[in-house]
Amino acid sequence: MASTSTSSTRATAQIGVTGLAVMGSNLARNFARHGHTVAVHNRTHARTKALVDEHGHEGNFVPAESAEDFVAALQRPRRLIVMVKAGEATDAVIEEFAPLLEEGDMIIDGGNAHFADTRRREAALREKGIHFVGAGISGGEEGALNGPSIMPGGSAESYAALGPLLEDIAAKAEDGTPCCTHVGPDGAGHFVKMVHNGIEYADMQLIAEAYDLLRTVGGYEPARIAETFRTWNTGRLDSYLIEITAEVLAHTDGATGRPFVDVVADEAEQKGTGRWTVQTALDLGVPVSGIAEAVFARSVSGHKDLREAARALPGPAGEPLSPVGAEEFAAQVEEALYASKVVSYAQGWNMIAKASAEYGWDIDLGAMAAIWRGGCIIRAAFLDRIRAAFAADPGLPTLLADKEFADEVGRAQDAWRAVVATAVRHGVPTPGFSAALAYYDALRAPRLPAALTQGQRDFFGAHTYRRVDREGSFHTHWSGDRDEERTD
Ligand code: 6PG
């Protein structure tokens, strides 16, 4: 049902998508399948033509050859979704389209942009009266077509005009609510998407560690681990990532007949959103050790040179006997995986809360869990419990303080400690499990050795310290008579 475009194109489209690689095409098709008329545009027109030739029967597409035609095809206020590579390409598209737009129109960036870029672009376009909406979109190619989780930032005014369309094409949670909500102003949407990806990295790392332990210590073959994961997926770990991990582990390589996981080079790559999460967390001063370990684990895996140079280093002597059988060990690993997962989500939420306060975004923390229940890569049954925890107490300082999560993690701790100890004894690296446990222990410790760190800082740099029994800053004259003075 595609109409042809001319310079006198009538404004019939409710929404437009420019940038028609797979994500952009699938998003456009999703809108069309939901009965919306979609203007489609790509730098090379052949791609626009191919989309309409192949999928024109799915709904109403208005193919536009030029930027002018594309803009002319859009009803006002114009809603123009940009699906190009994050970075310079986005700026180039904005430069091309902004002069053609009018006040009240919207440019929506659906890529994985850095939230600081989104803030910059939003401020610049706001001066021209154009709304810029940085919208995180999760769920990959399949999600874009059949229902992603959408995290739009930008002004509340833009959401009033855009939200209903996005909610229409978004995934729906089990209770039928759309996995899309207005996250907050300017870069809030892209920030939250970045943290989503950081949590995704942590989840993937924890699952990888569970696999490694079951295989190396438990002696399970990949197919049996796939079965174990399938069982876990019927319980509290029920999630998309556990589900697809079982698929990957059950897969046999066609060419060799070997387990697929054994023919893949063990060097994890990254496009960079996990790294951004950690860099930003450092700037905000939020400890996200689970996410950081996941990023570093990918980095270590990619350092062939270091790994080669260290290959001959000795590991633990002999094969220490596991004190429990393989099945009991697998049950312990499930506990460790779950507890570590709760910790990394707790850290991710702390990061969103901190940024929300810092930038004045006023993000509804429970709503973020609600819109991640479907469509996105970290969709999981337990997100509904995170939603409920924040609904019960919007000021919850950490998920670990929620009674239900605290009880569960507390019950898991013996197994969690046993798994980390076993991993250490066997020489199996579990940075995710270990960092999560260390974070848990650090938070619950009545006293931390940070007091000693403060003493050292005061010793070598006169950096001062605070005391437990008196107000104020103090410095000790270490090289003299060691008398203390109040410095504030
Ligand atoms: C999603 C994904 C998606 C993606 C990233 C991560 O939410 O749909 O997070 O954004 O797969 O590009 O990729 P890397 O692992 O390469 O960083």
Side-chain angles (χ1 to χ4, degrees):
M1 265 184 279
S3 53
T4 46
S5 81
T6 67
S7 51
S8 60
T9 304
R10 278 184 37 246
T12 54
Q14 283 92 49
I15 194 125
V17 179
T18 180
L20 299 176
V22 193
M23 284 295 286
S25 293
N26 283 1
L27 212 59
R29 290 171 61 197
N30 191 349
F31 279 114
R33 286 174 174 193
H34 277 84
H36 304 290
T37 300
V38 195
V40 282
H41 171 264
N42 194 69
R43 202 157 43 91
T44 37
H45 188 57
R47 193 165 250 174
T48 312
K49 216 175 148 315
L51 167 68
V52 176
D53 286 350
E54 225 175 297
H55 301 288
H57 60 280
E58 292 177 1
N60 292 327
F61 293 97
V62 184
E65 192 158 0
S66 69
E68 289 76 12
D69 280 355
F70 181 57
V71 168
L74 295 169
Q75 291 177 356
R76 295 210 55 209
R78 300 185 181 89
R79 289 164 284 222
L80 188 163
I81 301 189
V82 179
M83 294 299 293
V84 300
K85 206 165 176 284
E88 282 169 16
T90 309
D91 284 317
V93 172
I94 292 171
E95 257 175 54
E96 183 180 9
F97 285 98
L100 306 175
L101 298 178
E102 295 168 89
E103 250 188 73
D105 289 349
M106 285 155 248
I107 297 181
I108 303 112
D109 176 11
N112 268 337
H114 193 290
F115 79 99
D117 286 337
T118 303
R119 282 168 62 79
R120 168 177 60 77
R121 291 168 182 146
E122 197 273 340
L125 287 168
R126 189 163 6 107
E127 287 196 354
K128 300 188 165 112
I130 297 167
H131 298 283
F132 184 72
V133 177
I137 300 181
S138 178
E141 297 169 12
E142 200 270 337
L145 184 61
N146 297 316
S149 173
I150 311 179
M151 295 146 249
S155 66
E157 195 190 333
S158 64
Y159 194 77
L162 177 68
L165 272 104
L166 296 182
E167 290 180 16
D168 206 21
I169 64 147
K172 305 293 175 292
E174 259 179 24
D175 62 8
T177 54
C179 294
C180 172
T181 192
H182 181 227
V183 176
D186 60 78
H190 274 146
F191 183 91
V192 159
K193 173 58 170 52
M194 176 186 74
V195 177
H196 164 284
N197 280 26
I199 293 175
E200 171 186 308
Y201 275 49
D203 255 355
M204 291 168 74
Q205 173 63 21
L206 295 172
I207 293 171
E209 290 176 20
Y211 150 76
D212 201 8
L213 285 165
L214 291 179
R215 190 150 189 199
T216 312
V217 181
Y220 283 23
E221 285 308 308
R224 188 166 172 204
I225 303 174
E227 275 315 307
T228 306
F229 280 13
R230 281 194 186 112
T231 311
W232 290 357
N233 203 37
T234 61
R236 59 189 175 173
L237 283 170
D238 176 357
S239 61
Y240 172 72
L241 281 171
I242 292 280
E243 180 191 324
I244 63 152
T245 305
E247 297 275 320
V248 173
L249 287 171
H251 186 61
T252 302
D253 175 51
T256 60
R258 292 169 60 195
F260 167 78
V261 72
D262 287 350
V263 300
V264 177
D266 60 347
E267 292 158 38
E269 297 175 40
Q270 52 183 309
K271 292 212 186 89
T273 44
R275 187 173 62 238
W276 287 351
T277 311
V278 179
Q279 286 168 336
T280 307
L282 289 172
D283 290 340
L284 288 168
V286 183
V288 293
S289 45
I291 300 169
E293 288 299 347
V295 175
F296 283 129
R298 288 196 192 190
S299 171
V300 167
S301 77
H303 274 281
K304 269 178 123 166
D305 48 346
L306 294 179
R307 293 175 63 191
E308 197 47 51
R311 186 116 325 136
L313 291 176
E319 259 306 84
L321 276 182
S322 172
V324 295
E327 279 192 17
E328 199 177 325
F329 181 62
Q332 288 182 339
V333 172
E334 191 269 349
E335 302 255 22
L337 175 53
Y338 183 75
S340 304
K341 181 180 166 95
V342 172
V343 165
S344 56
Y345 280 65
Q347 294 180 343
W349 252 268
N350 279 147
M351 188 168 167
I352 296 174
K354 180 72 195 297
S356 178
E358 185 103 353
Y359 294 108
W361 286 334
D362 198 22
I363 297 177
D364 177 341
L365 297 177
M368 296 308 102
I371 63 167
W372 289 345
R373 288 178 300 173
C376 67
I377 304 296
I378 64 167
R379 61 187 181 261
F382 100 133
L383 281 159
D384 196 52
R385 294 178 44 215
I386 299 184
R387 180 202 56 74
F390 282 107
D393 179 3
L396 197 63
T398 162
L399 265 189
L400 292 166
D402 171 75
K403 172 124 183 37
E404 255 191 57
F405 282 119
D407 287 350
E408 256 186 320
V409 172
R411 278 195 300 275
Q413 65 150 333
D414 285 347
W416 194 6
R417 293 181 196 288
V419 167
V420 170
T422 303
V424 171
R425 283 207 312 277
H426 283 254
V428 177
T430 53
F433 285 0
S434 311
L437 182 56
Y439 179 84
Y440 172 84
D441 281 334
L443 285 197
R444 55 169 210 88
R447 289 276 297 159
L448 288 171
L452 178 59
T453 309
Q454 283 296 80
Q456 293 164 326
R457 293 178 68 246
D458 191 59
F459 188 100
F460 63 66
H463 293 304
T464 75
Y465 53 88
R466 283 179 297 108
R467 296 181 53 97
V468 295
D469 54 356
R470 269 177 281 154
E471 288 296 313
S473 294
F474 296 88
H475 167 57
T476 294
H477 295 279
W478 295 96
S479 50
D481 53 9
R482 300 201 169 205
D483 263 2
E484 175 183 87
E485 69 166 307
R486 191 170 165 152
T487 60
D488 56 339

